[in-house]
Amino acid sequence: MKKIVRGVVLCVIVALLAALPWMGNTVLVQFGINLLLLATLAQGWNIIGGYTGYPSFGNSVFYGLGAYGVAIAMVQYHLPFWAGMLIGLGLGVAFAGLLGLAVLRLKGHYFAICTLGLALVMTAIVSNLEIAGSNIGLVLPLHTGEALFYELALGLLVLTTLTIFWLSRSRFGVGLIAIRENEEGAAVLGVNTTLYKILAFMLSAAFTALAGGIYAYYITFIDPAGVFDVVLNVKMIIMAVFGGPGSVLGPVIGAFVLSATSEVLATKVTSIASMFFGVVIVVAVVFMPRGIIDLVKNLRQAGWRYFIGNVRAHRL
Amino acid sequence: MALFVQVLVSGILLGGLYALMALGLALVWGVLNIVNLSHGALIMLGAYVTYFLVTGAHFDPFAALPIAAAVLFAIGYAIQRGILNLVIRGPMFNTLLITFGIEVVLMYLAQLWFSADYRTINPGYAGASYAVGGITIPFVQLIAFAIAIGLTAAMWLFLLHSRTGRGIRAAAQNLVAARLYGVSPKRIYALTFGLGAALAGVAGGLYGTVSQINPYIGGALTAKSFVIAIIGGLDNPLWVIVGGLFLGVIESLTALFIGPTYRDVASFGILVLILIVRPSGLLGRTA
């Protein structure tokens, strides 16, 4: 019964979100597109970082590849947007597959840093590619109206979230969680860990690349520093971790809460807003390291002791 | 040929500074198992402290370095004691996130206080240089190189032979056993992080004498420090010098033979390659 209520509530929320462009207010729609794309990125990261436990700092590469797939297809070859999306998707997934073979053997810090290095290498390489407009970037054809992009972004977020919902109750998803908790143990129990990890990386890349493609056509101008931005990668991680990594709705909630907060702050106190973001990360990691989802689950029982408990558990 | 040697020399001089930048990161990483993403921001702060001592109090840049080191030591000690020690037993990923948060805060504080303008620390003798057999060696870079190598060697001696240094190494190897022998983990961790920050402070001051500074240089410097720490491994400060020199030379040669825009492709490409081939670092012990 509770599950049905929850499902109905979620459907109503999605319907309300979908209706937003028809209620006017362009500013809100523009904010919405950015927010929905960020939430998709957080969800994409959730698959590899939250479920599989491999903290990728290289997901911005897939975002950039998706964006450049669309941009190069539309600008250099005059293909339609949809073809560009497919190309970007293919680039992102193929790259994740190839790369996964090499880097998913690394653990912990080494994996995080190797993927970060990759993001930096890709930025530098694309800045030197003529077909990608070198470091000047590419200007895409103009489009008509933001509503389409808003609905696309919403659709992609729903699709990503449904995939994670499926993941959380499938054999595949359980295998990923087993890898996160104890990789050797998972292998002993018959999980093909290499295959599972690479598939998770490719799935994560697919959604991230699609988000990049939508962004490229929507913003109509991309350059290497913009779409391969490491800060974007950190943002998606923070949103996922703030909401609750390894949960179905946590990253979406994290993205909505953090985006809304920073948007409100940016209009009130511009220069402090970015710094506030840093303070939020520090405070959140100290007091609620398992995210909002875990906080909501435990706050009612433990009250303020929940925060003290977290600090006790992890301090020296 | 002369051009090649000149580029090689520039690369080596740059590499010494790189080594010093990476030393603090490698120390904290090796002892605390924290990859300190705010390391570059600490280098940036060190550069600003030196800058204001030089422009405001008319210090010689090199005489200002000990003060920069002391200020950064205090900041580092406070960060470890007040924040990082609260999460250090948590998942490794949380320490990455929290140091990133600290980096963001430091960067925007610097922007707020110092503005986003580019600044350089220019001693009166900035243009002076030696000419050795057709090769030019800028005086400031040579001093910076000597200080970097000297400090790295001093660090090595300190870790090897002093009581505190032995405490730090003991804490890195086995915290529980170290505690039994009277090492206070809270103090030793804060001390180590403070030392790492102090080294970053000196590196920042030297960086400011050879390059421009602004509040946003931190990220790239953290990344470079990573690369060097990975090349050198985390076991021995002397290998960090090798890592720094290697990166400096590779960057200079890439700029000469392929083009200046490929500098970052080379340095970060090497990082990825090394990690794939030798997951625990080129010269480090095997995992």
Side-chain angles (χ1 to χ4, degrees):
Chain A
M1 191 60 201
K2 215 175 150 192
K3 271 183 193 161
I4 298 173
V5 172
R6 203 182 287 174
V8 170
V9 169
L10 281 174
C11 286
V12 171
I13 291 176
V14 171
L16 280 176
L17 282 173
L20 186 85
W22 280 271
M23 296 191 267
N25 199 340
T26 336
V27 179
L28 207 57
V29 173
Q30 284 169 351
F31 169 66
I33 295 172
N34 284 324
L35 188 151
L36 292 168
L37 288 178
L38 272 174
T40 306
L41 295 184
Q43 281 290 41
W45 186 87
N46 192 21
I47 299 172
I48 186 73
Y51 277 92
T52 322
Y54 275 73
S56 164
F57 274 75
N59 268 31
S60 53
V61 169
F62 310 133
Y63 185 77
L65 285 174
Y68 269 102
V70 166
I72 291 173
M74 292 183 79
V75 176
Q76 312 285 22
Y77 300 106
H78 307 288
L79 293 168
F81 172 58
W82 300 109
M85 286 286 272
L86 281 179
I87 293 172
L89 178 68
L91 279 176
V93 172
F95 193 69
L98 279 176
L99 212 71
L101 274 173
V103 298
L104 283 166
R105 291 184 300 133
L106 300 170
K107 300 252 153 61
H109 290 317
Y110 292 99
F111 177 78
I113 289 152
C114 191
T115 48
L116 179 75
L118 268 172
L120 298 168
V121 173
M122 283 307 286
T123 318
I125 290 178
V126 172
S127 311
N128 286 299
L129 280 184
E130 219 163 282
I131 192 174
S134 304
N135 56 0
I136 301 160
L138 291 171
V139 180
L140 284 88
L142 281 177
H143 56 75
T144 50
E146 272 132 5
L148 170 71
F149 293 94
Y150 180 89
E151 300 300 345
L152 272 177
L154 181 64
L156 182 60
L157 177 59
V158 170
L159 182 69
T160 315
T161 308
L162 285 177
T163 307
I164 292 180
F165 178 69
W166 162 79
L167 199 73
S168 69
R169 32 194 64 213
S170 70
R171 229 185 116 76
F172 178 55
V174 172
L176 295 185
I177 295 173
I179 289 172
R180 180 184 72 201
E181 298 304 327
N182 181 348
E183 192 161 342
E184 285 79 20
V188 170
L189 289 177
V191 176
N192 185 343
T193 53
T194 312
L195 180 71
Y196 272 48
K197 285 189 289 184
I198 290 176
L199 284 178
F201 206 33
M202 286 164 75
L203 199 58
S204 175
F207 294 120
T208 312
L210 287 174
I214 294 175
Y215 174 80
Y217 191 23
Y218 162 63
I219 209 79
T220 68
F221 167 74
I222 61 165
D223 65 338
V227 292
F228 287 106
D229 192 359
V230 174
V231 174
L232 184 73
N233 199 74
V234 177
K235 261 192 189 165
M236 53 180 118
I237 297 174
I238 288 163
M239 287 171 169
V241 172
F242 187 77
S247 63
V248 178
L249 285 177
V252 181
I253 296 171
F256 275 62
V257 171
L258 283 181
S259 294
T261 322
S262 79
E263 190 69 16
V264 170
L265 277 170
T267 54
K268 296 240 157 64
V269 273
T270 6
S271 55
I272 316 277
S274 311
M275 190 160 43
F276 174 80
F277 207 65
V279 175
V280 167
I281 301 165
V282 173
V283 172
V285 172
V286 171
F287 292 106
M288 36 176 278
R290 283 178 303 279
I292 295 179
I293 292 271
D294 188 64
L295 172 77
V296 172
K297 263 188 209 151
N298 292 298
L299 196 63
R300 216 177 304 155
Q301 287 177 3
W304 54 271
R305 265 165 305 174
Y306 171 79
F307 300 110
I308 309 274
N310 277 329
V311 175
R312 281 234 173 95
H314 298 138
R315 77 169 173 207
L316 189 66
Chain B
M1 190 61 201
L3 178 65
F4 178 74
V5 177
Q6 176 73 60
V7 167
L8 211 59
V9 169
S10 308
I12 289 171
L13 289 178
L14 179 69
L17 182 56
Y18 276 177
L20 185 60
M21 279 183 191
L23 187 60
L25 184 96
L27 178 72
V28 168
W29 188 353
V31 176
L32 310 185
N33 197 25
I34 289 176
V35 170
N36 176 21
L37 292 182
S38 67
H39 188 71
L42 297 171
I43 297 177
M44 178 268 296
L45 284 185
Y48 273 104
V49 172
T50 314
Y51 173 82
F52 285 111
L53 284 171
V54 171
T55 53
H58 304 291
F59 270 72
D60 180 87
F62 296 112
L65 291 179
I67 303 180
V71 171
L72 265 292
F73 179 85
I75 294 175
Y77 195 94
I79 288 176
Q80 179 69 34
R81 197 84 200 231
I83 305 172
L84 292 181
N85 273 347
L86 293 178
V87 296
I88 197 154
R89 287 200 298 131
M92 143 257 148
F93 190 58
N94 285 354
T95 59
L96 270 184
L97 273 185
I98 207 164
T99 53
F100 175 79
I102 293 169
E103 141 114 65
V104 171
V105 173
L106 292 180
M107 183 167 84
Y108 286 103
L109 275 181
Q111 185 201 307
L112 218 59
W113 288 338
F114 311 140
S115 88
D117 299 342
Y118 280 88
R119 297 167 198 270
T120 38
I121 302 166
N122 262 329
Y125 41 81
S129 62
Y130 295 117
V132 183
I135 310 294
T136 327
I137 301 174
F139 179 69
V140 173
Q141 284 198 22
L142 187 66
I143 301 275
F145 176 80
I147 291 179
I149 299 294
L151 263 182
T152 310
M155 194 69 217
W156 185 62
L157 288 174
F158 167 76
L159 284 179
L160 216 58
H161 295 296
S162 76
R163 193 179 154 77
T164 315
R166 279 200 292 266
I168 289 175
R169 284 190 299 137
Q173 271 173 16
N174 187 336
L175 195 59
V176 178
R179 199 179 248 158
L180 291 175
Y181 282 93
V183 172
S184 154
K186 273 184 200 162
R187 199 182 69 89
I188 214 86
Y189 273 18
L191 200 68
T192 309
F193 199 87
L195 269 179
L199 289 167
V202 177
L206 293 175
Y207 182 82
T209 60
V210 297
S211 197
Q212 289 186 314
I213 54 172
N214 68 39
Y216 320 111
I217 55 174
L221 295 181
T222 307
K224 292 231 159 112
S225 303
F226 271 149
V227 179
I228 297 158
I230 288 287
I231 295 173
L234 305 173
D235 302 339
N236 189 328
L238 296 183
W239 285 123
V240 176
I241 296 188
V242 177
L245 294 181
F246 181 71
L247 187 73
V249 169
I250 289 282
E251 280 197 357
S252 301
L253 291 181
T254 310
L256 174 69
F257 287 114
I258 307 177
T261 49
Y262 282 94
R263 200 180 268 245
D264 284 353
V265 179
S267 50
F268 298 125
I270 285 170
L271 167 77
V272 174
L273 274 183
I274 287 176
L275 279 174
I276 289 171
V277 180
R278 286 283 307 255
S280 62
L282 192 58
L283 301 164
R285 64 193 152 201
T286 41

